[in-house]
Amino acid sequence: MQHIKILIVDDDARFREILRGILSDDPDLEVIGEAVRGETGILLAGKLKPDVVLMDIRMPGMNGLEATRLLKKDMPDLRTIMLTI
């Protein structure tokens, strides 16, 4: 079975660390990258081709909603899960 490739985009380093730890417990999931800003998340998604992006809604610079809109234009089949606290 193929791994589900995940990109985490969140400006909170501790939250990314916790999320990566939780996801690493599942052998079918693989975190392939992390970004702290929406702009960086878009660039990484283009390079890494994740299956799923876990996207924080509120980040400095480009927020997660705008980043997701731009990602979906170029990668319409990309799945995105929005995160907020």
Side-chain angles (χ1 to χ4, degrees):
M1 180 173 189
Q2 185 176 348
H3 293 301
I4 296 171
K5 299 180 293 185
I6 300 171
L7 173 63
I8 301 171
V9 183
D10 194 296
D11 61 327
D12 187 315
R14 179 74 177 127
F15 183 71
R16 288 193 319 273
E17 179 184 335
I18 291 168
L19 197 51
R20 180 184 278 277
I22 291 168
L23 296 171
S24 69
D25 286 342
D26 188 324
D28 295 329
L29 304 177
E30 178 184 8
V31 176
I32 59 170
E34 297 180 20
V36 299
R37 300 175 64 92
E39 299 90 345
T40 309
I42 291 170
L43 292 173
L44 279 178
K47 291 179 184 178
L48 301 175
K49 307 295 185 211
D51 300 307
V52 176
V53 175
L54 301 180
M55 178 78 72
D56 185 14
I57 290 177
R58 294 183 185 188
M59 291 178 287
M62 181 184 298
N63 68 43
L65 295 173
E66 182 61 27
T68 298
R69 276 192 275 276
L70 293 173
L71 276 174
K72 294 298 271 182
K73 283 183 182 179
D74 292 333
M75 304 171 77
D77 294 331
L78 179 65
R79 303 275 200 281
T80 304
I81 298 172
M82 301 303 291
L83 305 171
T84 188
I85 295 179

